[in-house]
């Protein structure tokens, strides 16, 4: 019984669906009037509507399409033809505008030639914080003396004898040879070397170690090298130890000169304009020494 009821309901629904969608001719009007005439008044250009078959479809046209006339009234154009555009009017002729040149102001010649005025120093802003200093009498430049004191030395006995002969051309009271003691001197020495090749090799080694050297200037010590001269033996020994830190191994301390009597030349009052003349006269007898200002002046 339940199955029969379900089947009746399904058939009723199917029949209602077919009737409501116009699939059954039952209840439809066969007259030319439409069921909804208000939609006809809402159509826009129904004459332009054309029903075309689906692309690629080969199905024959339906019965309704074959019964309708194939003549289609002319359709109204959807867009209005474009209005003719008038040709552009030619531009007006250009009227030349004459610009009035600005007057050029030329400065007078006197203004161009005159230099700019100098600025006067502002005395109000001057720095008066520092008092004005006056030259002190002690700091004033001393006038150059008319005479100078010169000396040279020391000379040994033989050199002093040669110098006395040269001083004979000068006034007796213009010079004097003062006795002095020439102190001993010590030297850090390397040598004697057997030949010059060994001497040059030692020189290169000292250059590499940045050690200064000189000739001994004593015939008995040639060929050799002097690494420094000192007034005391203790100072020479300290210098030798310092050289040992630089890799100097073959050097030793020798006494270059013993304590000997000497003489010092003194010219107490020599005219300034006569200094050069006296120097030239005594130069051959000075044994390579020069006249210098006295140490006590």
């Amino acid at each position: 019984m339940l199955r029969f009821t379900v089947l009746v309901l399904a058939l009723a629904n199917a029949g209602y669906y077919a009737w409501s969608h116009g699939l059954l001719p039952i209840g439809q009007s066969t007259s030319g009037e439409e069921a909804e005439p208000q939609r006809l008044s809402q159509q826009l250009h129904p004459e332009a509507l054309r029903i075309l078959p689906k692309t690629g479809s080969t199905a024959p046209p339906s019965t309704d399409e074959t019964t309708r006339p194939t003549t289609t009234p002319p359709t109204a154009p959807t867009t209005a033809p474009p209005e003719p555009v008038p040709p552009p009017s030619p531009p007006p002729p250009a009227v030349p505008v004459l610009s009035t040149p600005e007057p050029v102001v030329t400065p007078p010649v006197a203004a161009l030639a005159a230099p700019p005025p100098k600025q006067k120093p502002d005395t109000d802003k001057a720095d008066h914080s520092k008092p004005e200093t006056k030259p002190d009498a002690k700091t004033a430049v001393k006038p150059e003396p008319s005479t100078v004191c010169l000396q040279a030395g020391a000379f040994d006995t033989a050199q002093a004898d040669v110098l006395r002969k040269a001083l004979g051309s000068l006034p007796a009271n213009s010079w004097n040879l003062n006795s002095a003691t020439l102190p001993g001197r010590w030297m850090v020495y390397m040598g004697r070397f057997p030949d010059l090749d060994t001497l040059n090799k030692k020189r290169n080694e000292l250059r590499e170690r940045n050690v200064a050297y000189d000739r001994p200037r004593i015939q008995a010590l040639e060929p050799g090298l002097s690494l420094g001269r000192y007034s005391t033996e203790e100072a020479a020994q300290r210098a030798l130890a310092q050289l040992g830190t630089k890799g100097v191994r073959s050097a030793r301390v020798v006494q270059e000169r013993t304590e000997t009597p000497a003489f010092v030349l003194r010219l107490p009052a020599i005219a300034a304009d006569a200094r050069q003349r006296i120097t030239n006269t005594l130069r051959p007898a000075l044994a390579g020494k020069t006249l210098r200002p006295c140490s006590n002046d």
Side-chain angles (χ1 to χ4, degrees), residues 222-242:
E222 294 284 359
L225 295 173
S226 171
L227 306 184
R229 295 175 174 85
Y230 305 90
S231 59
T232 62
E233 185 177 3
E234 291 77 8
Q237 292 293 345
R238 289 193 298 267
L240 179 62
Q242 184 66 26

Side-chain angles (χ1 to χ4, degrees), residues 201-212 243-249:
K201 181 179 179 181
K202 290 295 181 181
R203 287 175 176 172
N204 294 333
E205 292 177 359
L206 293 176
R207 291 193 194 98
E208 293 176 358
R209 291 180 172 85
N210 197 20
V211 176
L243 291 172
T245 60
K246 295 183 178 182
V248 178
R249 298 288 182 267

Side-chain angles (χ1 to χ4, degrees), residues 43-66:
Q43 293 182 2
L44 298 176
H45 303 288
E47 65 277 2
L49 180 63
R50 295 181 61 187
I51 299 175
L52 300 178
K54 188 177 181 181
T55 304
S57 175
T58 57
S62 59
T63 307
D64 297 338
E65 293 179 356
T66 56

Side-chain angles (χ1 to χ4, degrees), residues 148-151 176 178 265-268 292-297:
V148 294
C149 177
L150 301 176
Q151 69 179 15
N176 54 64
N178 299 324
L265 172 63
R266 184 180 177 87
L267 303 170
R292 62 186 183 277
C294 298
S295 57
N296 57 353
D297 284 356

Side-chain angles (χ1 to χ4, degrees), residues 34 42 46 66-67 70-71 77 88 92 99 104 114 118 131 166 175 191-192 196 200 212 216 218 234 260 281 294:
E34 295 292 339
Q42 297 177 358
T66 56
T67 56
T70 56
T71 59
S99 60
V104 178
K118 297 183 179 180
W175 60 271
R192 298 179 53 180
L196 294 179
N200 293 331
I218 299 177
E234 291 77 8
T260 57
T281 302
C294 298

Side-chain angles (χ1 to χ4, degrees), residues 91-194:
V95 179
V97 178
L98 300 178
S99 60
T100 304
E102 297 181 358
V104 178
V105 180
T106 305
V109 178
L112 295 177
K118 297 183 179 180
Q119 296 181 356
K120 296 182 179 181
D122 192 357
T123 56
D124 296 337
K125 297 181 180 179
D127 188 7
H128 299 286
S129 59
K130 297 183 180 179
E132 183 179 358
T133 58
K134 295 182 179 180
D136 191 3
K138 296 181 180 180
T139 59
V141 179
K142 296 181 179 180
E144 186 178 356
S146 58
T147 60
V148 294
C149 177
L150 301 176
Q151 69 179 15
F155 301 95
D156 56 19
T157 304
Q159 293 173 347
D161 294 339
V162 175
L163 185 58
R164 284 191 184 95
K165 294 179 182 180
L167 291 171
S169 61
L170 300 179
N173 59 351
S174 64
W175 60 271
N176 54 64
L177 280 173
N178 299 324
S179 299
T181 300
L182 194 61
R185 188 165 59 186
W186 283 260
M187 177 174 57
V188 179
Y189 171 74
M190 293 181 66
R192 298 179 53 180
F193 299 116

